Amino acid sequence: MVQVLNRNSNETLSERAQRKNEARRLAILRAAARVFRRLGVSATGMREIAEEADLSPGNLYYYFSGKDEILLFCQERTLERLGATVKAARAVPGSWAGRLRSVLSGHVHCMLDELEGATAHLEVEALPEAMRVGVVQKRDAYERAVRALVAEGVKAGEFAPADPALVTRAMLGAVNWTARWYRHDGAQSAAEIAGSLADYLVRGLLPPPAGKKR
């Protein structure tokens, strides 16, 4: 009985330590995103990231072995969030337009909230090839998932006839590009940009009202 209690206690401590470690890694990610935004990925070093995260370089290396690992963590986490957004949208009853709008809005939030407008998510080519392969596979899987939403909306007659692959790439390019021009002190908040851009992109897929031609 004592051994069981000790094991449960050890598991609780381990889970708590893992959560604390993950929270610290996310804090470092946000700090790195701010530096990437200011200096660019190529000009950013571990020292600059450590200073932004209020850590010594030695402490930073405890959580990440180098800048490549931070960049990999950034891209993998972003793609995991994006994949979860598509899955959640599919699980909610409603129109294909509503589902697609939810995904595009979530994509913008991911870029502007968690990454604070940094372009790190887009810097796939900055990764060594061994790290890049898995990221590209996840990125392509996400693109296919969004493309499927477009294709099913077209098939259902909710969207006008279109090439789902072309449309999807255009939409993802638009939402990714927000990281290039977004400013925290700009006229619109991240939430306003997410909602407005998602509405605009989805509206472009809708067929014209009866009696009207495009």
Side-chain angles (χ1 to χ4, degrees), residues 102-115:
S102 176
V103 170
L104 296 174
S105 176
H107 191 124
V108 175
H109 273 291
C110 191
M111 297 293 295
L112 304 188
D113 289 344
E114 182 148 296
L115 296 185

Side-chain angles (χ1 to χ4, degrees), residues 31-32 35-36 38-39 43-58 60-61 66-67 70:
V35 183
F36 289 153
R38 288 199 306 268
L39 305 179
T44 298
M46 290 291 275
R47 181 173 296 279
E48 288 81 11
I49 295 172
E51 289 176 357
E52 185 72 23
D54 197 24
L55 292 171
S56 69
L60 178 58
Y61 279 105
K67 186 176 71 174
I70 295 177

Side-chain angles (χ1 to χ4, degrees), residues 6-202:
N6 284 342
R7 183 169 65 250
N8 289 339
S9 177
N10 288 338
E11 289 174 354
T12 300
L13 289 173
S14 177
E15 291 171 0
R16 190 179 302 131
Q18 288 177 1
R19 287 195 299 270
K20 185 176 180 180
N21 184 69
E22 184 69 7
R24 173 57 76 178
R25 283 166 64 86
L26 287 176
I28 293 170
L29 168 61
R30 293 189 177 96
R34 292 192 294 272
V35 183
F36 289 153
R37 182 174 175 79
R38 288 199 306 268
L39 305 179
V41 172
S42 61
T44 298
M46 290 291 275
R47 181 173 296 279
E48 288 81 11
I49 295 172
E51 289 176 357
E52 185 72 23
D54 197 24
L55 292 171
S56 69
N59 284 340
L60 178 58
Y61 279 105
Y62 173 79
Y63 294 100
F64 293 99
S65 64
K67 186 176 71 174
D68 288 342
E69 191 174 319
I70 295 177
L71 194 56
L72 177 64
F73 178 62
C74 164
Q75 295 180 357
E76 287 188 331
R77 176 170 172 80
T78 301
L79 288 166
E80 285 170 6
R81 280 192 59 182
L82 296 178
T85 299
V86 176
K87 186 176 180 179
R90 277 194 165 279
V92 177
S95 65
W96 293 108
R99 290 168 177 157
L100 184 59
R101 187 180 294 109
S102 176
V103 170
L104 296 174
S105 176
H107 191 124
V108 175
H109 273 291
C110 191
M111 297 293 295
L112 304 188
D113 289 344
E114 182 148 296
L115 296 185
E116 304 195 18
T119 59
H121 166 62
L122 311 178
E123 305 286 349
V124 178
E125 298 304 318
L127 287 171
E129 185 176 358
M131 291 182 170
R132 193 187 315 147
V133 173
V135 171
V136 170
Q137 290 174 344
K138 291 178 182 178
R139 183 192 63 189
D140 291 349
Y142 171 65
E143 182 181 319
R144 287 194 298 271
V146 178
R147 189 189 312 166
L149 290 177
V150 175
E152 289 171 77
V154 171
K155 184 178 180 180
E158 190 175 328
F159 298 150
D163 179 343
L166 178 63
V167 167
T168 298
R169 288 172 185 146
M171 291 190 300
L172 294 182
V175 292
N176 279 330
W177 197 253
T178 58
R180 302 283 185 183
W181 54 259
Y182 172 68
R183 295 293 178 268
H184 289 282
D185 57 354
Q188 290 185 303
S189 67
E192 289 171 330
I193 292 170
S196 296
L197 185 56
D199 285 343
Y200 174 80
L201 293 171
V202 173

